[in-house]
Amino acid sequence: MRAAPSRHEPHRQWRPLAVALVAGLGAVLTAPSSAAAHGFGGGRTDLPISKTLFIYAAALVLILSFVALAVLWPKPKLAQYRFVALPGLLSRVLLSRPLAVLCGAIGVFLLELTIYAGLTGVQTSSANFAPTFVYVIFWLGLVPVSVLFGDVFRAFNPWRAIGRAVAWIAQTAARGPIPAPLAYPERLGRWPAVAGIFAFAVLELVRSGGDAPDTVAIAALVYSAATFVGMALYGVEVWCERGEAFGVLFSLLAKISPVERRGDRLGLRPPLAGLAALEPQPGTVALIAVLIGSTSFDGAAESSLWTGLAPKIADGLESIGLSPEKALEGAFLIGLTATVALVYGFYRLGVAGAALVGDDLRAERLKGAFAHSLVPIVVAYVAAHYLSFLVFQGQAMWFLASNPLGEQGVDIFGTADRPIDYSVIGASFTQYAQVFFVLVGHVAALALAHDRALELYEQPKQAVLSQYWMLVVMVGFTTLALVLLLQSNV
Amino acid sequence: MSRQGRIGLLGLAAVIAVVVFVLARPEEGSDKADDPSRNAGQTTPAAGDDRPTATAESALPPPPTEIRLDGGEVQGGVQRIEAKAGSTARFVVISDASDDIHVHGYDIEKEAALGKPARFEIKTDLEGVFEIESHVAEDAGREPLIARLVVEPS
């Protein structure tokens, strides 16, 4: 993340909270923006990978793909996997009510601290708790946690915790369960989450000054309000599983994890197996397209292609009457939307190709059938693009935790002066790790798509034919990930 | 898939591996050959800088890269200073007004003023691309980025 691009904005105004709340999420896009400094992001970026490494990596992608096609298992394996329950005591402790209340309270505290620090703390994004916590610890840090340890965020989800607490109080008062006023429309699927994640991407990548502490806090308030409305209408758990964008996202990534919760038991499963059981609800492909698309756009925004194109689009928007700042934001919004649309279109192209294979499988059925195989690619994109950012900028938590508001002389834990150590990982390590994650994501995606094809098609020959199309999609996404690593801002 | 099909795919994979190995190897060599600065472990003049470079006294370190600020604008656009990790990056910021120059990551800040350039000699022990900014431009709401320090692994 390079947080919002820096622009020339001499003035800043303050917009009252109430107005922003009433105006809803739209306010995040239209509120007057603050001066965008480079500040957040620390001013360090990765070196592009070398051409040699790129060529070797791209070749490995092809080699792995062909070898995989030749040697992968001939019968579906992931659909039925073995669930090994963890010791009962461990499950009982980790899923106990007191621990759930404690985790929820921690989540609520962190959300409140983010809003409080964002609104009342110093308005320098790198010295305030809110931007780093939201963009680095929450948004990026929960990715590896979910992939390794399962749906940990569900326990800490502040909106779920508040919703459950309110529901508990209301039900105690009413002396009985209160049904949700509306049934969740099946057609809506994961679409509310798609909207939420896209809005987050707009705040992060499009809006000038999207990393300003007060903007982050207002966005958190607006998002909380929207979430509580959703919960009030459709029920707390239903909304958390379908509509609450971050809950939906992190539970999706957690399906890669070997840790699974079944009722009141925790257990282990083969990694990736959980993804094969993913319900292809409406909006799933779009959610994945937004994730891959926004990460790609963040990378591509550094490329000469975009830095050459953006001013032209902005000039065009200015000529139809937008202010220079809004025109540049408009250009970035067009760029982000176009990238997401391209990712979505490319996947649909692969599905359309696979549908040609026949066996009476319509594109409509296939559309969601391979969505789960893109989830490892999402993780590969995020890992490759944000690895060093997470490792370095995450260390800012040392001083931000000790001084969340960025005030003079505050040092709660004695770490307020601890600087970011930029020597923890070197440039070569970063580059090899980036390529490694991209390759692992590619192989995981291939394995998932292969398994699904074997399940869908009765004749192995058709399964293989359909796979060529999905292989093109995977190789396309993986190559794009590598090309983005080759891009440089220097 | 038939047995022949599988063997064919594995063969194809092997062919790609061999071709890429043969193609990529010379490039790795020429990469280093075309660019003597990569081995020199020293800063190279930024693009657009037409100062004479040290030739005869190759034993001495080359003169530092100059970055000129004119009314807060960096001449010739955002500059690039290259160095190998473990060497020393030398550059001078010459400004016609008082300014604070901040090298991110290394977190070094120096003052520059008319007739008093800010001289930097940085031991490059951190790898990556680091932004060099003018704090006066930042406070005035202008683009603060004046140069990037590019430290490649040695």
Side-chain angles (χ1 to χ4, degrees), chain A residues 6 8-9 37-38 42-47 51 55-56 59 63 66-67 69-70 422-423 426-428 464 489-490, chain B residues 1 6 9-10 12-13 16-17 20 27 80 104-105 126-131 133 138 141 143-144 148 150-153:
Chain A
S6 93
H8 302 260
E9 294 140 30
H38 271 266
R44 182 208 170 276
T45 44
D46 282 330
L47 288 160
K51 279 210 180 74
I55 291 169
Y56 278 132
I63 293 165
F66 287 126
V67 171
L69 275 187
Y422 284 106
S423 63
S428 306
V464 169
N489 56 353
V490 287
Chain B
M1 195 184 299
R6 285 170 191 274
L9 282 172
L10 287 176
L12 194 56
I16 296 172
V20 169
E27 177 154 345
R80 177 188 165 101
H104 277 275
L126 305 174
E127 296 167 354
V129 181
F130 301 92
E131 294 183 344
E133 294 185 342
E138 189 174 351
E143 171 62 53
R148 291 189 180 92
V150 181
V151 182
E152 300 207 31

Side-chain angles (χ1 to χ4, degrees), chain A residues 203-240:
Chain A
L203 182 71
E204 182 188 11
L205 304 174
V206 171
R207 198 178 127 75
S208 131
D211 60 340
D214 54 356
T215 307
V216 171
I218 291 170
L221 278 170
V222 171
Y223 182 73
S224 301
T227 303
F228 295 138
V229 170
M231 285 176 172
L233 291 178
Y234 300 113
V236 174
E237 294 295 351
V238 170
W239 189 255
C240 282

Side-chain angles (χ1 to χ4, degrees), chain A residues 73 98 126 136 193 239 264 271 353:
Chain A
W73 49 86
S126 56
V136 184
W239 189 255
D264 54 357

Side-chain angles (χ1 to χ4, degrees), chain B residues 40-83:
Chain B
Q42 283 301 343
T43 58
T44 52
D49 192 335
D50 50 9
R51 286 176 301 107
T53 43
T55 43
E57 312 125 296
S58 58
L60 288 171
T65 309
E66 287 177 8
I67 301 166
R68 286 178 187 278
L69 295 179
D70 228 350
E73 289 283 318
V74 55
Q75 286 196 343
V78 174
Q79 302 289 298
R80 177 188 165 101
I81 300 150
E82 277 183 27

